[in-house]
């Protein structure tokens, strides 16, 4: 019979990595560095791009380890990953375009100082 190996160390490493990324997101969200918050790059602030990238990194880590994608065959992994590589940039672009439009249209009616 095969031996079942413990993944406790790996689970704690993934937990630590995801916690670290979350802590960085929370700290950046609280302090909102002026240079990152008010510098526009590709339609939104650099701070927003950092949040988007860190969120995708966390989602990828969760999928890779907790959905056991690291143990699957290459073709199966590609059938899941490749559509996401196409879909996520499309959705982010759509979100930025529509979000900018809503902000421009609603800006005279809403107090954005929070």
């Amino acid at each position: 019979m095969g031996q079942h190996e413990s993944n406790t160390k790996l689970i704690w490493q993934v937990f630590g990595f995801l916690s670290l990324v979350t802590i960085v997101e929370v700290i950046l969200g609280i302090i909102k560095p002026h240079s990152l918050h008010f510098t526009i790059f590709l339609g939104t602030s650099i701070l927003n791009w950092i949040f988007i990238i860190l969120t995708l990194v966390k989602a990828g880590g969760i999928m890779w380890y907790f959905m056991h994608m690291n143990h699957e065959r290459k073709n199966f992994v590609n059938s899941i990953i490749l559509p996401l590589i196409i879909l996520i940039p499309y959705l982010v672009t759509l979100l930025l375009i529509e979000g900018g439009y809503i902000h421009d249209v609603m800006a005279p009616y809403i107090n954005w100082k929070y």
Side-chain angles (χ1 to χ4, degrees):
M1 291 243 154
Q3 300 246 342
H4 180 67
E5 58 187 72
S6 175
N7 289 326
T8 305
K9 182 179 178 184
L10 178 64
I11 290 171
W12 281 108
Q13 288 174 343
V14 173
F15 173 75
F17 173 73
L18 294 174
S19 297
L20 181 68
V21 173
T22 301
I23 289 168
V24 169
E25 286 180 330
V26 169
I27 290 172
L28 285 174
I30 290 171
I31 63 174
K32 289 185 183 175
H34 189 272
S35 60
L36 297 176
H37 188 57
F38 291 106
T39 304
I40 302 300
F41 178 71
L42 293 177
T44 190
S45 69
I46 294 177
L47 186 62
N48 283 348
W49 282 113
I50 291 172
F51 287 143
I52 291 168
I53 291 167
L54 289 177
T55 301
L56 292 176
V57 166
K58 283 195 319 186
I62 290 168
M63 183 179 69
W64 190 252
Y65 289 105
F66 294 126
M67 294 177 64
H68 307 287
M69 295 301 283
N70 56 339
H71 299 298
E72 297 294 340
R73 292 184 179 188
K74 183 180 177 185
N75 289 335
F76 179 67
V77 172
N78 287 339
S79 71
I80 293 174
I81 300 294
L82 291 178
L84 293 178
I85 290 173
I86 295 168
L87 183 64
I88 289 174
Y90 170 74
L91 292 176
V92 168
T93 303
L94 188 64
L95 179 69
L96 293 174
I97 291 171
E98 291 297 321
Y101 171 76
I102 294 295
H103 181 269
D104 293 343
V105 169
M106 299 301 290
Y109 306 110
I110 296 177
N111 183 7
W112 295 99
K113 297 177 185 174
Y114 40 80

